[in-house]
Every structure is written in structure tokens, then in C-alpha cells.
Amino acid sequence: PQAQETTASSSGAARWLMPPEASTSEDVVWQVGWSEPCRTLEEHIDRYRNSPVMHPNMPDEYKPVIFQGGSRMAFPPPTRPIRPPRIRHMKVTG
């Protein structure tokens, strides 16, 4: 219920403080939506705990995080060995 109220009251917000380097000439509108295909914390943990994104070689900023009471919590450990991620290289078109 609280998440639904927050979603309803937050979608379409367009006025908030942004640092000068982040501002653009176009209006920035915040859109809030349900997470798909997972919705619960347990579903997200199950999806990512054995994912290549959790491999030690992946930068921390790409990994999902869990917060409790505003503090970052340790992500539950994997249940099997994690494969290294496959890095896709973008093709340069000219």
C-alpha cells in the first residue's frame, strides 16, 4: 500500500533541485513504475545473487544493492560459482 501511494504521488514530478552540471534545456520528468519481472526483495535477490553482474571483476556501481534503514547492507552471497560477465562491444558506425 505505501509503495502504491508513493508511486501515485510521485509520477510526473518535474520540479526538484538538480546540480548545475546535470541540468538540461529540456524538462526532466520523473516516472515511477513497478519493477518487472521481479517485485519482491526475495525475487530480486534470487535473480541477481548468482548473476554475472555480481562477479568480483564487475565494478561495484553496476551491482544491485540493498538498503535497510538508510544503510547499505551486504548482498546475500551466491549459492554457486559466478561466471565472468560477457562484455558486449558497441559497433562504431560511420
Side-chain angles (χ1 to χ4, degrees):
Q2 183 178 3
Q4 291 170 336
E5 291 172 17
T6 302
T7 299
S9 65
S10 300
S11 281
R15 299 184 80 195
W16 60 81
L17 294 177
M18 294 176 62
E21 64 273 8
S23 59
T24 64
S25 59
E26 27 184 287
D27 290 334
V28 179
V29 178
W30 180 11
Q31 291 297 321
V32 179
W34 285 109
S35 192
E36 294 292 340
C38 303
R39 291 189 183 222
T40 67
L41 176 61
E42 292 78 21
E43 288 175 322
H44 279 90
I45 289 171
D46 287 344
R47 179 176 183 184
Y48 289 106
R49 75 184 322 162
N50 295 312
S51 169
V53 77
M54 299 302 286
H55 191 273
N57 291 346
M58 284 296 288
D60 194 51
E61 59 263 20
Y62 294 110
K63 297 179 181 183
V65 294
I66 299 173
F67 291 93
Q68 184 175 25
S71 297
R72 186 173 177 170
M73 307 300 293
F75 203 87
T79 58
R80 61 179 190 253
I82 298 177
R83 293 178 314 187
R86 292 181 290 169
I87 306 297
R88 296 183 190 140
H89 297 283
M90 296 180 60
K91 293 181 181 178
V92 178
T93 59

